[in-house]
Amino acid sequence: MTAIRVRFAPSPTGELHIGGARTALFNYLFARRNGGTFMLRIDDTDLERSNKEYIDKLMDAMKWLGLQWDEGPVYQSQRVSEYLNEINRLVTEKKAYRCYCSVEELTAGREVARKENRAYLYPGTCRNLSPETEAIKLQEGIKPVVRLRTPDEGETIVNDLIRGEVSFDNRGLDDFIILKSNGQPTYNFASVVDDLQLKISHVIRAEEHLSNTPRQILCALALGHELPVFAHVSMILAPDRSKLSKRHGATSVEEFRSLGFLPEALVNFMALLGWSPGGSEEGSDIFSLAEMIDVFSLDKAGKTAAVYDTEKLTWMNGQYIRDCKIETLAEVARPFFIKRGLLPKKNGEDELQYLSKVIELVRERSKTLVELADLSFYFYRDDFSYDQKTLEKAFKKNGAAKILGDIAQQLQELKTFDRYTIEGLFNDFCLKSEISAGKIIQPVRLAVTGLGGGPGLFEIMELLGQERTISRLIRAAAFIQDEQR
RNA sequence: GGCCCCUUCGUCUAAUCGGUUAGGACACCAGCCUUUCAAGCUGGCAGCAGGGGUUCGAAUCCCCUAGGGGUCACCA
């Protein structure tokens, strides 16, 4: 049995989006599941559009997701001599030939075809030029391209692990370009040479490549190599069922990261797009990377394009936030607190401990790290305003100011200031004043946090400490009296 | 337009060889829990694109139609 080797081969022309990341994930899972090798290859044969910056970002994104590759990155731009060798060989063997047709000629031909409503196929103008003619063209200074001589009849069959046998009529395939006039190979060719030379056993990629596969098979056949196994995974579509693009809001891994999503959640979510572990028992869809590796197989991959739904991702993220180890969560959440202006760039031990305690209280109601930081505002700042809706209910009742004042006074007398003693005090207060707990707790919560909801009030107060709690109650009492004037 | 792929709740999906009250997850709704908001728990709503066949029996097999997507570049 041949060694399992797969590759993820993005072109560095933009940020890694969720579709590409999902393809990387499937390759990774497949390799891990089968004890194979996962390679990263950078398909940068298009010099104009490729960008160094994107290469770095891409690798960052993959590392962040936890998709560590075993080999690479291999850069196609650094393997040009390999491609040229093979192309020269094909030309010598007459399996490929130089074409001197100008871009204008070709475009004109394409125009005509479009007007006549038929597909344009290269007519084979330069298919059988005599050496003399070639010499003249060359002398004229024309830089030729190289085209692959493709069969005029028969069919090319793609054997796909997910889609079965897909056949293409060779008559619909023309002699396509494998070497551009600038001396760079085209993607279809370079990709094939790499897959063969790097001994890729399984080509797992998005469905958009299915239509190109017969061309690649023709290349491989011309080169005289065996074919890898293909698996074309269904595409990920934007909510409007169109191809993913910037106008669809968050699509790149980087964006999801800065919106406060955890890599584990994103990976989990992506895995379930176009793949399912099977079974239909009750249970959530939460799977760790390790669990997925354990059960991953391509025959459970679906054929239908998937529309991604941020709601579900968000829910998943909430699950991960809740299950995450508190120290880990504090560490990954810290940058969001810094960005929000709640923490300085460098934090001491005290700040980190306080952060952990804050997060412990708030995380249950946060679905993203951004939300986590937002909901923690009052643990760091005193200058919050009061939520308008809650204010109407909690502060505008008769006696609210007095209650706050009384509570503040009684809290002042506490020797220990923990959740239990505070709760005891509140219970006594309710009994003596014959006011229901809710009536008291609501205004106090608003006074202390500015919000109508949140973690247990007594825990908040404990963490805030006696002094800050009391001053907030006094501030609120003053605020109410001001309003009433 | 040619070629290729696809079509199960709003979304992601399950359903060994055709026989299921078509299952789960998110979202939504209701109830419970509760100092609030969440979380959690319980229940509910909701789907086989349409039409023909084949068959005792079709989400499942075949054909047609419709819809969606991809690809036809000196992009990848």
Side-chain angles (χ1 to χ4, degrees):
Chain A
M1 198 182 127
T2 53
I4 302 287
R5 290 171 63 80
V6 296
R7 85 302 196 279
F8 174 53
S11 65
T13 55
E15 291 182 352
L16 179 63
H17 63 72
I18 187 169
R22 201 273 318 258
T23 301
L25 173 63
F26 281 12
N27 273 282
Y28 173 89
L29 290 173
F30 184 77
R32 290 287 170 278
R33 176 73 184 96
N34 298 293
T37 305
F38 174 48
M39 173 184 286
L40 175 62
R41 190 179 77 210
I42 307 295
D43 282 9
D44 54 354
T45 49
D46 184 354
L47 270 14
E48 312 231 323
R49 296 204 311 154
S50 291
N51 188 158
K52 269 243 148 49
E53 191 190 324
Y54 286 133
I55 298 178
D56 294 336
K57 283 183 154 190
L58 200 136
M59 293 198 280
D60 275 353
M62 286 184 63
K63 285 180 194 159
W64 180 72
L65 289 170
L67 306 180
Q68 186 58 57
W69 54 95
D70 308 308
E71 285 182 23
V74 170
Y75 296 89
Q76 288 195 320
S77 57
Q78 290 172 9
R79 291 174 42 79
V80 175
S81 64
E82 300 286 343
Y83 311 131
L84 293 181
N85 280 344
E86 297 289 34
I87 285 171
N88 286 334
R89 207 185 95 213
L90 292 181
V91 171
T92 317
E93 293 173 1
K94 301 247 191 272
K95 289 178 178 165
Y97 58 90
R98 296 191 185 83
C99 165
Y100 300 85
C101 295
S102 68
V103 175
E104 292 73 36
E105 281 175 69
L106 298 175
T107 318
R110 226 170 265 130
E111 278 298 306
V112 173
R114 201 167 52 85
K115 272 186 192 143
E116 291 173 6
N117 241 338
R118 57 178 172 82
Y120 172 78
L121 294 178
Y122 175 69
T125 319
C126 301
R127 225 179 185 192
N128 298 303
L129 295 184
S130 66
E132 293 75 28
T133 322
E134 286 216 41
I136 294 169
K137 297 268 189 192
L138 242 23
Q139 231 163 24
E140 287 171 0
I142 300 175
K143 292 226 168 78
V145 299
V146 174
R147 292 181 182 270
L148 187 77
R149 199 183 297 273
T150 60
D152 298 321
E153 48 190 30
E155 54 182 17
T156 300
I157 293 174
V158 179
N159 218 315
D160 192 281
L161 237 35
I162 296 173
R163 280 153 220 285
E165 284 190 2
V166 183
S167 65
F168 294 82
D169 193 327
N170 287 337
R171 283 171 296 190
L173 263 27
D174 63 359
D175 291 349
F176 54 93
I177 294 174
I178 57 180
L179 185 74
K180 308 181 218 173
S181 57
N182 68 1
Q184 290 287 318
T186 56
Y187 159 78
N188 275 326
F189 187 77
S191 172
V192 169
V193 171
D194 283 336
D195 286 342
L196 298 175
Q197 291 190 354
L198 301 172
K199 302 199 179 335
I200 298 303
S201 64
H202 298 255
V203 171
I204 304 167
R205 55 172 26 162
E207 193 197 332
E208 58 184 316
H209 292 283
L210 182 57
S211 301
N212 272 322
T213 308
R215 283 173 238 280
Q216 296 171 9
I217 288 180
L218 258 20
C219 284
L221 258 28
L223 290 167
H225 284 87
E226 291 205 5
L227 263 20
V229 175
F230 293 98
H232 287 96
V233 182
S234 62
M235 310 251 312
I236 296 179
L237 268 25
D240 64 355
R241 300 205 73 83
S242 70
K243 212 177 169 183
L244 245 32
S245 76
K246 317 103 235 141
R247 73 195 153 85
H248 293 117
T251 57
S252 77
V253 171
E254 204 168 315
E255 285 171 292
F256 282 113
R257 180 181 188 174
S258 67
L259 287 171
F261 289 94
L262 300 177
E264 295 82 359
L266 193 54
V267 162
N268 191 157
F269 176 68
M270 291 190 303
L272 264 21
L273 254 26
W275 178 81
S276 139
S280 69
E281 299 83 48
E282 290 230 12
S284 70
D285 286 346
I286 304 290
F287 303 98
S288 69
L289 239 200
E291 287 171 321
M292 289 187 273
I293 289 172
D294 236 31
V295 298
F296 187 79
S297 99
L298 282 174
D299 50 53
K300 292 196 210 103
K303 301 175 181 183
T304 322
V307 173
Y308 75 96
D309 174 21
T310 331
E311 297 267 19
K312 186 159 181 176
L313 205 211
T314 305
W315 166 79
M316 258 184 192
N317 204 53
Q319 297 289 310
Y320 278 92
I321 283 181
R322 239 162 279 133
D323 290 346
C324 191
K325 258 180 73 184
I326 198 77
E327 302 83 49
T328 314
L329 187 59
E331 192 46 46
V332 297
R334 206 167 60 92
F336 291 84
F337 281 72
I338 294 170
K339 199 171 173 196
R340 188 80 170 76
L342 302 180
L343 280 174
K345 286 225 161 69
K346 292 239 163 97
N347 308 129
E349 195 50 42
D350 287 357
E351 279 171 324
L352 292 181
Q353 267 191 17
Y354 184 71
L355 176 64
S356 286
K357 286 181 180 166
V358 168
I359 287 178
E360 201 152 16
L361 291 185
V362 175
R363 69 156 155 187
E364 187 119 328
R365 42 229 102 205
S366 311
K367 291 190 168 124
T368 67
L369 298 179
V370 168
E371 201 182 352
L372 188 67
D374 283 347
L375 291 177
S376 301
F377 191 83
Y378 55 84
F379 283 109
Y380 290 90
R381 304 278 289 271
D382 296 309
D383 57 331
F384 51 80
S385 53
Y386 302 112
D387 175 70
Q388 196 57 40
K389 259 179 82 181
T390 318
L391 190 147
E392 300 292 336
K393 282 188 280 185
F395 280 1
K396 298 258 167 102
K397 293 259 162 62
N398 281 339
K402 184 175 185 319
I403 291 175
L404 294 179
D406 289 351
I407 295 268
Q409 204 164 41
Q410 294 194 19
L411 285 170
Q412 192 74 62
E413 279 153 31
L414 283 183
K415 292 279 184 315
T416 41
F417 200 74
D418 61 36
R419 59 191 70 173
Y420 309 105
T421 47
I422 299 169
E423 184 169 8
L425 185 150
F426 270 75
N427 287 339
D428 288 350
F429 190 93
C430 290
L431 281 177
K432 282 180 198 146
S433 61
E434 293 188 339
I435 306 173
S436 72
K439 289 256 163 48
I440 296 167
I441 284 171
Q442 270 303 31
V444 173
R445 170 183 295 282
L446 186 63
V448 172
T449 70
L451 301 173
L457 179 61
F458 310 127
E459 284 139 280
I460 295 173
M461 292 167 92
E462 176 188 315
L463 185 53
L464 241 23
Q466 195 160 18
E467 203 176 310
R468 278 204 283 177
T469 302
I470 290 167
S471 74
R472 287 182 185 189
L473 291 174
I474 292 169
R475 175 193 161 207
F479 172 86
I480 296 171
Q481 276 161 356
D482 268 7
E483 290 279 293
Q484 284 169 344
R485 250 173 243 144

